[in-house]
Amino acid sequence: LLQHWDVSSNQLTGTLSSALFSSSSFKNIKSFQFNSNLNLFGTIPTEIGLATSLELIEGDNNEFRGTIPSELGQLKELKYLQFDHNRLYGSFPNQYLCNISVIMIDCKNDMNDGFIHDCHCCQFCDEGGLIST
């Protein structure tokens, strides 16, 4: 069974398909790395919450916009989440993220709106605008 899928730095272009996370073969994936493609854009599909075995998600250095879906709260095994260097905005409900060991998300971006408005659970915004634990 495929457990680790790394498509980082492959110059991928387009959006992440919601069908990818809905497929039965993706349910056993423990790590999904799609960072540094630079041409992945759009929103992060809410179906990402269906991949319940995920322990690691790296989606940094792309062009994602919008908010990180609250469906990430369904990923009880998630220990590492990285979405820095994207164009994400809005509030991030952190009450379900206290089990994650490492979180890296932009707190500052070019929209003049800090990403994290409520970071009192287990993370903090550093001077570079990243939230991490």
Side-chain angles (χ1 to χ4, degrees), residues 84-85 103-108 116 119 123-133:
D84 55 300
H85 299 96
I103 303 172
M104 293 178 67
I105 304 169
D106 283 331
C107 286
K108 299 176 184 173
I116 306 298
C119 354
Q123 48 281 40
F124 61 92
C125 290
D126 69 15
E127 292 178 14
L130 297 177
I131 194 166
S132 56
T133 58

Side-chain angles (χ1 to χ4, degrees), residues 15-18 21 32 34 40-49 54 57-60 62-72 75 81-84 86-89 92 105 115:
T15 60
L16 286 179
S17 170
S18 58
F21 300 104
F32 182 36
F34 49 99
L40 286 177
F41 57 88
T43 59
I44 299 163
T46 58
E47 289 81 2
I48 197 168
L54 275 173
I57 301 171
E58 289 183 355
D60 56 296
N62 286 296
E63 291 293 324
F64 293 114
R65 295 180 180 268
T67 59
I68 294 179
S70 61
E71 285 78 5
L72 282 176
L75 305 180
L81 176 65
Q82 186 170 1
F83 277 116
D84 55 300
N86 281 286
R87 296 174 185 265
L88 301 168
Y89 62 87
F92 191 69
I105 304 169
F115 182 79

Side-chain angles (χ1 to χ4, degrees), residues 86-113:
N86 281 286
R87 296 174 185 265
L88 301 168
Y89 62 87
S91 296
F92 191 69
N94 57 11
Q95 64 272 15
Y96 58 75
L97 295 176
C98 290
N99 63 323
I100 299 177
S101 303
V102 177
I103 303 172
M104 293 178 67
I105 304 169
D106 283 331
C107 286
K108 299 176 184 173
N109 57 43
D110 60 357
M111 304 179 96
N112 295 321
D113 179 36

